Amino acid sequence: MTTGDRIRTARKARKLTQAQLGQLLQPPQTRQAVHDLEKGRYEPSANTIRGLCAALGVSCDWLLGITA
């Protein structure tokens, strides 16, 4: 499972749209930016990873695929 797959899985588990997730990040991201992350078009920065983990309620290790 890729980082993008994990973002999508966690987002759907929290019942968030891509736009809603984007608004939870600091600075806020567009729906398209979240879509691009989920598709693996670019790797998120360390700050974005921390924001995603906080918004999605997952550990950074899980999000990055370091642990199961």
Side-chain angles (χ1 to χ4, degrees):
M1 184 180 280
T2 67
T3 300
D5 293 334
R6 289 175 187 272
I7 294 168
R8 182 175 33 261
T9 297
R11 176 180 61 78
K12 288 185 175 190
R14 299 273 305 211
K15 296 183 175 23
L16 294 170
T17 66
Q18 290 174 336
Q20 289 168 329
L21 176 56
Q23 290 304 305
L24 293 174
L25 301 176
Q26 292 300 321
Q29 301 288 315
T30 64
R31 183 209 59 82
Q32 185 63 48
V34 174
H35 173 79
D36 289 346
L37 283 171
E38 290 182 356
K39 290 295 183 183
R41 294 198 174 116
Y42 66 90
E43 289 297 316
S45 69
N47 286 336
T48 300
I49 290 170
R50 282 191 291 275
L52 286 166
C53 291
L56 297 171
V58 299
S59 72
C60 290
D61 286 348
W62 181 84
L63 190 68
L64 296 173
I66 295 171
T67 60

